[in-house]
Amino acid sequence: MSKTPDNRTVLVAGGAGFIGSNFIRYVLDAEPGVRVVNFDRLTYAGNLQNNEDVETNPRYRFVRGDIAAEPDVAGVFAGAGIDVVVNFAAETHVDRSIEDAAPFVRTNVQGTACLLAHSRRAGVSRYVQISTDEVYGSLGEDGAFAEDTPLHPNNPYAATKAGADLLVLAEARTHGAPALITRCSNNYGPMQFPEKFVPLMLANAMEDRPIPVYGDGSNRREWIYVDDHSRGVWDAVNKGRPGEVYNIGGGQETANIELARMVLAELGKPETLIEFVADRPGHDRRYAIDCSKIEREWGWAARTGFADGIRATIDWYRTHPEWVRGVRDQSYRSYYERHYTHRDRTLTSFR
Ligand code: NAD
Ligand code: DAU
């Protein structure tokens, strides 16, 4: 029996992470007939608490597994009637990739190759690879990344994401796979793991701990509220063309130090909490995204303004201290101490 767009089964790899869990919630809400299989290895960044609100939904199922492990991937496809694959699964933190690139190569490159091969065998109608603006490298003071900007990844995370993108494009070209790529700017919102800048600032400042700002804080990022990204990814599933790349960006560009000041002001905390610490090696100077292609082709536009998005994010972290406590486990604390000790001793306050 052929399926309509309304009763497809979507395999979401990495659906227990920050963006994947938001995407699952978005799809189950927006599409009353669509089924979701959440396939996640549950690394330190994967957390089933992020899926608590959908776990009793009859159209939702969780399967624990590793996208780079052949038997796990074969197992999740077997008899599941998967129509669409959306791959969020990745090692995602730049600083950890600088410490050790091996898990990034394994998951981001080998894992993508494995998912692509099984998607081909299963004859899926759509494969969407969730990529990042980091594959384009770093910008000068002006301009923005377009889809045809040459790839120039500058850190191991970005290099492995670029490698994965090339595999996806090769799959579309060589095997005629219905595969495409989205590349998004920096996301923020509820349930983001507090190793990333925004949730790290929130979690620390709420407890009057210092917030570490790399270098002089003048590096710039473009921010997008996670809901807007999820809506763009679902558009990619339904409106994207095979073999194409689509940029997604929130249009909210700011220097890190301005963002730190804005967060502290919203929290009612003093700027004296800011600690300038040693810079990230190879720190990309500036990211900005030209997403006119999806505005034109899909009618997509970001809907959440920066101030509203930051306020909603702060509200969530304020009302979920137990989530923050839960994820700041022993392995988080030892990462934090390992990573920040050589940057500034006063920051290592978790003992
Ligand atoms: P995250 O670190 O919060 O979540 C990653 C998820 O992938 C976790 O649930 C983890 O358990 C899972 N995972 C890791 N390795 C796996 C494996 N081998 N097999 C199965 N599951 C595995 O990441 P995120 O911030 O939600 O990012 C999701 C995707 O979006 C990534 O591909 C990332 O590169 C991309 N992206 C993120 C941002 C951002 O600002 N966070 C921006 C653009 C693109
Ligand atoms: O641009 C998309 C990318 O955004 C995603 O592909 C990545 O998965 C995601 O982690 C993010 O990468 P960044 O390196 O830009 O995000 P991060 O939150 O680590 O850092 C944001 C900026 O803040 C960056 O310029 C570094 C700076 N920073 C970060 C941390 C963790 C600090 O100043 N202090 C910190 O402690």
Side-chain angles (χ1 to χ4, degrees):
M1 192 186 72
S2 75
K3 293 200 181 177
T4 69
D6 295 340
N7 64 2
R8 290 168 297 180
T9 299
V10 181
L11 179 74
V12 179
F18 164 49
I19 308 172
S21 62
N22 183 286
F23 175 76
I24 290 175
R25 206 170 304 113
Y26 174 81
V27 172
L28 290 173
D29 279 354
E31 303 290 343
V34 167
R35 292 172 184 281
V36 170
V37 179
N38 175 6
F39 181 58
D40 197 296
R41 187 183 186 186
L42 299 183
T43 66
Y44 77 93
N47 182 351
L48 288 181
Q49 275 182 295
N50 296 349
N51 308 116
E52 253 172 8
D53 51 347
V54 297
E55 70 189 5
T56 57
N57 187 319
R59 294 183 289 119
Y60 170 81
R61 193 159 63 87
F62 173 71
V63 177
R64 186 169 190 176
D66 177 352
I67 59 165
E70 193 71 37
D72 289 5
V73 180
V76 75
F77 273 97
I82 305 293
D83 303 292
V84 171
V85 173
V86 184
N87 182 23
F88 291 91
E91 289 293 337
T92 62
H93 194 38
V94 172
D95 295 322
R96 290 189 194 248
S97 79
I98 293 167
E99 194 178 279
D100 181 8
F104 290 73
V105 174
R106 183 179 181 280
T107 287
N108 301 0
V109 181
Q110 286 171 232
T112 298
C114 186
L115 261 190
L116 284 168
H118 283 273
S119 299
R120 189 189 329 138
R121 273 170 228 155
V124 302
S125 62
R126 199 47 101 232
Y127 177 103
V128 177
Q129 176 74 7
I130 307 305
S131 186
T132 166
D133 58 3
E134 294 210 10
V135 297
Y136 298 121
S138 186
L139 289 165
E141 290 309 302
D142 305 312
F145 300 126
E147 285 84 355
D148 59 359
T149 300
L151 300 186
H152 196 295
N154 289 321
N155 60 65
Y157 160 72
T160 59
K161 291 296 286 185
D165 283 10
L166 295 177
L167 286 171
V168 174
L169 295 176
E171 184 75 15
R173 177 89 183 176
T174 311
H175 296 288
L180 53 104
I181 297 168
T182 60
R183 294 187 181 138
C184 192
S185 61
N186 283 60
N187 285 228
Y188 68 98
M191 297 182 219
Q192 186 170 27
F193 193 80
E195 64 189 352
K196 308 282 163 54
F197 191 44
V198 168
L200 178 66
M201 287 195 285
L202 294 180
N204 280 15
M206 277 189 235
E207 294 176 354
D208 300 306
R209 295 177 194 272
I211 61 174
V213 172
Y214 294 164
D216 63 2
S218 64
N219 295 63
R220 302 178 74 83
R221 293 291 181 267
E222 180 178 316
W223 296 92
I224 184 171
Y225 192 61
V226 62
D227 290 4
D228 284 328
H229 186 188
S230 291
R231 190 163 39 80
V233 172
W234 189 238
D235 277 351
V237 168
N238 295 302
K239 303 177 187 169
R241 286 174 287 127
E244 291 284 317
V245 174
Y246 298 93
N247 285 348
I248 304 178
Q252 300 153 353
E253 187 187 332
T254 178
N256 295 334
I257 186 65
E258 288 165 19
L259 182 55
R261 291 193 179 119
M262 174 178 168
V263 162
L264 289 169
E266 280 293 335
L267 286 171
K269 298 286 182 180
E271 286 187 13
T272 49
L273 284 182
I274 294 172
E275 295 256 359
F276 291 100
V277 300
D279 208 352
R280 172 186 281 173
H283 195 176
D284 284 337
R285 180 84 199 141
R286 176 173 168 257
Y287 300 153
I289 276 265
D290 171 355
C291 61
S292 53
K293 182 174 173 180
I294 63 168
E295 290 170 347
R296 206 172 49 245
E297 293 191 14
W298 304 345
W300 180 93
R303 290 182 186 158
T304 310
F306 209 11
D308 287 346
I310 288 287
R311 248 173 251 134
T313 307
I314 289 177
D315 276 355
W316 189 87
Y317 281 88
R318 261 203 187 114
T319 49
H320 293 81
E322 76 298 336
W323 185 96
V324 176
R325 261 197 305 277
V327 299
R328 276 165 156 185
D329 59 8
Q330 194 46 49
S331 88
Y332 176 84
R333 286 158 197 248
S334 43
Y335 163 75
Y336 194 96
E337 282 165 20
R338 208 168 60 239
H339 180 64
Y340 290 102
T341 297
H342 69 282
R343 294 190 145 76
D344 184 334
R345 286 214 148 269
T346 64
L347 288 163
T348 59
S349 46
F350 276 109
R351 277 187 208 285

